[in-house]
Amino acid sequence: MEKANIESSKHGHVMTGGSGTQSYAKNSSFQRDVADATKLLIQNAVSEQLNPRNFPGLETFYVADLGCSVGPNTFIAVQNIIDAVKLKYQSSNDKIPEFQVLFNDHTQNDFNTLFKSLPLNREYYASGVPGSFHSNLFPRASLHFVHTSYSLQWLSCVPKEVITKNKGRIYHFGAGEEVTKAYARQHATDFANFLQARAHEIVPGGLMVIVLPSRPNGVSHSRVSFNILNGIFSSTFVDLAKKGMIDEEKVDTFNLPIYPTSPQELEATIKQNGCFSIEKIESLPKITTADVPHVVSLGTRAITEGLIKEHFGEEILDVLFEHFTNKLVESLKDVESGLAVNLFLLLKRKDEDNTTV
Ligand SMILES: C[S@@+](CC[C@H](N)C(=O)[O-])C[C@H]1O[C@@H](n2cnc3c(N)ncnc32)[C@H](O)[C@@H]1O
Ligand SMILES: [Mg+2]
């Protein structure tokens, strides 16, 4: 029995490193548009919800970006946060603190590329923090602002029961209720662990912004663009297996550990955790990037090729993504006809006795 896909996600699957033509850095313009779309929301979040008086005499303001990858998007998000915090301190006549930014991702993330591309004129100290954000990464009550964008759709692992049930596809969409429910349960468990760790690390009155692809409440998975796209990606593998280019059994045992959750699912876990108040939960304005098949294909490759290489071998990558691009020429309209909802959540850490600060 193949176990590669569980084990690989245990070590943590990372985006394609470096700054070459197939790197995440060069193929994540959609995620950059998401970061740009959050600028105003972050500004409002800080202006309305961050109170410098909660941190009297603060010398250093700690910002963490979780699942930062290699840049440049993380630098955009971090700058948006720092600009907003400076503005808030200025307008309330409080002394502006220094900023320490903690860039987190899995251990295998290409932190070298991240460090080499740090903005030269940055107004913050930078450190890298390796490890999974599903567990504790920072000391108690040490963070003032946590940000995470397009990372919390990743599960810590493929749910065990899916390995044997999800034959003939690499994604939960279309696999039936049982498989989808297993993914939903895994996401809820992972998110609960994520929140527990952040509750330990974020200072009372500290803020957390979570941005992620999502499924609107009550909407079937089949109407969500994110799922339609991954469904087409999944059928690319099946086509290659039919042509004898990859092993059918390998397709059965391969599963993408990603799940677009709904506001309802997130809210239930946040309430259960009890340490955060939900200050905002809303959809981002629609990202209007013109989707072009080869751009979408390259973007998908920069995100998934590490996982695929490990399971199927490097030699299938070029032909797989060429076929995926060709399929998208026909079917990108199906993705575009679905609902593409990106969620913006603003949480605030309650006081030690769990009253809202
Ligand atoms: C699509 S990238 C998003 C990167 C960046 N935030 C952006 O918006 O461009 C998702 C990132 O989340 C990271 N990631 C996924 N699960 C993680 C975990 N459990 N702990 C830390 N990082 C994780 C991946 O390694 C990857 O770099
Ligand atoms: Mg499978």
Side-chain angles (χ1 to χ4, degrees):
M1 155 110 176
E2 300 251 3
K3 286 194 290 188
N5 54 355
I6 299 186
E7 280 167 7
S8 69
S9 41
K10 236 190 241 165
H11 301 298
H13 160 63
V14 297
M15 312 294 97
T16 304
S19 49
T21 50
Q22 290 181 343
S23 63
Y24 183 79
K26 292 268 160 67
N27 293 288
S28 54
S29 59
F30 176 82
Q31 292 88 325
R32 187 193 58 226
D33 291 344
V34 169
D36 287 337
T38 60
K39 187 181 166 81
L40 198 62
L41 290 167
I42 287 177
Q43 220 170 63
N44 291 341
V46 169
S47 131
E48 291 161 19
Q49 296 298 338
L50 189 88
N51 183 358
R53 306 288 150 87
N54 282 329
F55 324 124
L58 189 72
E59 297 283 348
T60 312
F61 190 100
Y62 286 84
V63 178
D65 189 30
L66 309 182
C68 63
S69 193
V70 294
N73 306 340
T74 184
F75 306 131
I76 297 172
V78 158
Q79 196 55 50
N80 288 342
I81 293 163
I82 291 179
D83 287 345
V85 173
K86 278 172 68 180
L87 203 65
K88 178 70 189 189
Y89 270 78
Q90 258 158 7
S91 66
S92 58
N93 283 323
D94 286 284
K95 181 175 157 256
I96 298 176
E98 290 190 295
F99 291 93
Q100 170 78 54
V101 178
L102 305 152
F103 293 96
N104 157 259
D105 209 292
H106 281 305
T107 314
Q108 292 97 322
N109 183 53
D110 186 358
F111 282 102
N112 282 334
T113 292
L114 174 82
F115 291 154
K116 277 187 234 158
S117 49
L118 275 164
L120 293 176
N121 56 351
R122 66 187 178 275
E123 311 156 277
Y124 52 85
Y125 297 97
S127 335
V129 178
S132 171
F133 52 51
H134 291 124
S135 45
N136 239 68
L137 293 166
F138 309 100
R140 205 176 81 79
S142 61
L143 305 177
H144 302 93
F145 198 111
V146 169
H147 174 268
T148 177
S149 185
Y150 256 70
S151 302
L152 269 175
Q153 72 277 17
W154 283 96
L155 303 175
S156 65
C157 63
V158 175
K160 279 192 191 60
E161 56 270 50
V162 168
I163 308 293
T164 48
K165 298 240 168 71
N166 205 15
K167 291 192 194 300
R169 59 178 69 75
I170 64 147
Y171 193 59
H172 47 85
F173 169 49
E177 209 175 328
E178 209 183 328
V179 169
T180 304
K181 275 192 174 153
Y183 269 85
R185 273 197 306 274
Q186 186 63 51
H187 193 276
T189 304
D190 288 343
F191 188 51
N193 290 336
F194 174 91
L195 284 178
Q196 199 184 349
R198 303 300 83 78
H200 175 79
E201 300 159 351
I202 300 177
V203 69
L207 301 180
M208 174 151 65
V209 161
I210 296 174
V211 179
L212 79 178
S214 138
R215 174 174 66 98
N217 290 338
V219 164
S220 124
H221 277 277
S222 61
R223 290 186 52 212
V224 177
S225 291
F226 186 83
N227 287 334
I228 300 170
L229 179 66
N230 282 307
I232 298 165
F233 190 39
S234 178
S235 64
T236 309
F237 287 78
V238 177
D239 291 351
L240 257 55
K242 278 189 189 139
K243 287 186 191 163
M245 298 170 88
I246 51 177
D247 196 351
E248 208 171 300
E249 207 179 298
K250 285 216 170 231
V251 177
D252 293 346
T253 52
F254 186 68
N255 297 288
L256 287 177
I258 47 180
Y259 175 77
T261 186
S262 64
Q264 214 165 38
E265 287 164 282
L266 291 168
E267 278 172 284
T269 311
I270 295 164
K271 288 206 175 101
Q272 218 165 32
N273 170 275
C275 296
F276 294 93
S277 56
I278 302 176
E279 300 299 341
K280 194 157 274 181
I281 182 158
E282 65 178 61
S283 307
L284 285 185
K286 194 166 163 50
I287 310 292
T288 50
T289 319
D291 278 340
V292 180
H294 85 272
V295 174
V296 175
S297 183
L298 274 168
T300 308
R301 180 166 182 164
I303 293 171
T304 57
E305 75 172 350
L307 270 181
I308 297 167
K309 197 155 65 174
E310 206 168 276
H311 193 82
F312 295 95
E314 187 160 15
E315 47 307 339
I316 75 145
L317 289 172
D318 286 341
V319 64
L320 180 84
F321 283 98
E322 196 186 307
H323 187 50
F324 183 45
T325 309
N326 292 339
K327 283 179 89 82
L328 286 173
V329 172
E330 301 287 308
S331 48
L332 201 53
K333 58 180 185 320
D334 299 339
V335 178
E336 280 158 3
S337 71
L339 291 166
V341 178
N342 295 301
L343 216 57
F344 177 95
L345 259 86
L346 174 65
L347 307 186
K348 192 195 264 187
R349 177 70 172 97
K350 293 179 186 171
D351 214 338
E352 293 305 330
D353 57 7
N354 283 343
T355 47
T356 306
V357 180

